[in-house]
Amino acid sequence: MTRALRLIRRRLIGSVFVLLIVVIGSFLLLEAAPGDAVDAYIVSTGGDAGMIELLRHRWGLDQSELTRLANYLWALLHLDLGQSVTFSRPIRDVILERLPTTLILMGSATALSFGLGSALGIYAGAKPGSVRDRFLSIGSLALYAVPGFWLGLVLIVVFAVDLRWLPIGGIETIASGKAGFSRAADIATHLVLPVSALGFIYLALYLRMMRAGMAEAWRQDFVLAARARGLPRRRIVLAHVARNALLPLVTMLGLQSAQMLGGSVVIESVFAVPGLGRLAQEAVAGRDRPLLIGIILVSAVLVVFINLLVDLAYAVLDPRVGAGEART
């Protein structure tokens, strides 16, 4: 079995326990919160004591906490996330409808922040202490200090309200009848502002990390040896300095995946994007605990999967990673 497969096996075994802790912890924390789906339903529609008792029995809220947890874990073994109280539909179907939107938003924002941030970091770190290095460092620090929701509102005011270049929110034009490439272009246009608002914050982080990593790499012996051999500066920057400075960025990419997912909740609310973030907001408003636990579980699976990909990428960039696991 190859080193990569052994690494994947180890990570998957550990992920099972992580997801189990996430599910049980989320269930117990939500159970400790005041109110439930029946309370939210009665507040919005009204009802008497008989209806309250009927709804609690129908939704299984009259059972003990331990019984409901055991039933949920048993159903989860059969890939059954339960029934949504808010939507009166299977939770799996509701989440699968919203998941692609969040994946597109997160994927686009990650590509923007990581790709452009690392490129600007290489540009700044190629000449430490230069004017462009200081300008980009100060600009990235200012951008990182800006809250994501505030940046989103500013982008809406400037580009959607004043200039009217881009739509205010949503994922696509409602009832437009577009299909194929035309619809894809419409979705891309709607995603420009939310992707920018979510990606620019992390772009500043990757830029500063790349620049700092390159500044440290310039002092390493292998870089000094390459310069002594008379190698072109461009080759030294790309083949030696940037490659070694890229390793911490790959690690940070996995660590920031959970924060990126959490940031998408805010951005989806600001731009009215129908993803998992908006769905979580609706679940909280309706006290729909099964739906909220399902969203948390799917989010945890996404984070675990992203970190697994990061581990594999790190193993490719640094052959020492996982070498000990390959011998076990």
Side-chain angles (χ1 to χ4, degrees):
M1 185 179 294
T2 64
R3 180 168 60 94
L5 292 179
R6 292 179 183 273
L7 182 63
I8 292 175
R9 185 188 63 182
R10 291 290 185 90
R11 296 296 186 267
L12 289 179
I13 294 175
S15 299
V16 173
F17 295 99
V18 171
L19 295 177
L20 183 61
I21 294 174
V22 168
V23 171
I24 296 177
S26 302
F27 186 92
L28 296 178
L29 287 175
L30 292 176
E31 285 294 325
D36 54 21
V38 175
D39 296 330
Y41 181 84
I42 295 300
V43 168
S44 60
T45 62
D48 53 15
M51 178 176 292
I52 293 176
E53 183 179 355
L54 177 62
L55 290 176
R56 290 189 182 280
H57 178 71
R58 178 185 301 175
W59 294 336
L61 297 176
D62 56 347
Q63 299 175 350
S64 66
E65 181 178 315
L66 184 60
T67 300
R68 281 184 280 125
L69 176 59
N71 292 336
Y72 184 81
L73 293 177
W74 177 254
L76 195 60
L77 289 176
H78 300 82
L79 301 180
D80 182 11
L81 297 178
Q83 194 81 3
S84 171
V85 176
T86 305
F87 297 93
S88 300
R89 296 175 54 199
I91 294 176
R92 181 173 54 188
D93 297 341
V94 176
I95 291 179
L96 288 178
E97 286 181 359
R98 304 289 189 96
L99 182 60
T101 301
T102 297
L103 292 179
I104 293 175
L105 177 61
M106 282 186 59
S108 302
T110 301
L112 172 66
S113 60
F114 186 82
L116 186 58
S118 58
L120 291 176
I122 293 174
Y123 182 71
K127 291 185 177 181
S130 61
V131 175
R132 70 188 187 190
D133 178 28
R134 295 178 181 179
F135 175 78
L136 289 174
S137 297
I138 295 174
S140 63
L141 181 61
L143 185 60
Y144 186 68
V146 176
F149 73 90
W150 186 86
L151 179 60
L153 293 175
V154 170
L155 292 176
I156 290 176
V157 171
V158 175
F159 295 100
V161 177
D162 293 341
L163 299 177
R164 298 185 179 180
W165 290 352
L166 297 167
I168 293 178
I171 188 64
E172 60 181 317
T173 304
I174 300 177
S176 62
K178 298 179 180 180
F181 180 78
S182 178
R183 184 187 179 194
D186 182 53
I187 294 176
T189 303
H190 281 77
L191 284 175
V192 170
L193 292 182
V195 167
S196 299
L198 182 59
F200 280 167
I201 306 299
Y202 299 98
L203 179 150
L205 176 63
Y206 291 128
L207 190 158
R208 292 184 63 82
M209 287 195 61
M210 189 67 180
R211 187 265 172 198
M214 292 189 65
E216 178 67 24
W218 278 113
R219 296 190 291 266
Q220 299 298 321
D221 293 338
F222 64 89
V223 176
L224 297 177
R227 296 176 66 180
R229 292 199 304 270
L231 295 179
R233 184 178 182 87
R234 181 183 181 90
R235 181 179 177 183
I236 294 175
V237 170
L238 297 179
H240 299 279
V241 180
R243 179 171 181 176
N244 284 272
L246 190 63
L247 293 177
L249 262 71
V250 174
T251 303
M252 183 57 65
L253 182 63
L255 296 176
Q256 291 293 328
S257 60
Q259 295 187 17
M260 178 75 75
L261 186 59
S264 67
V265 175
V266 178
I267 297 302
E268 287 177 9
S269 300
V270 172
F271 290 93
V273 177
L276 288 183
R278 284 289 302 278
L279 184 62
Q281 184 181 13
E282 296 169 3
V284 171
R287 303 292 194 275
D288 195 343
R289 292 174 181 171
L291 177 58
L292 195 55
I293 295 175
I295 295 173
I296 294 174
L297 175 61
V298 171
S299 301
V301 171
L302 283 177
V303 173
V304 168
F305 179 72
I306 292 174
N307 279 274
L308 177 60
L309 294 180
V310 168
D311 287 339
L312 293 177
Y314 205 98
V316 172
L317 293 173
D318 189 350
R320 295 171 299 178
V321 175
E325 296 179 356
R327 292 191 297 266
T328 60

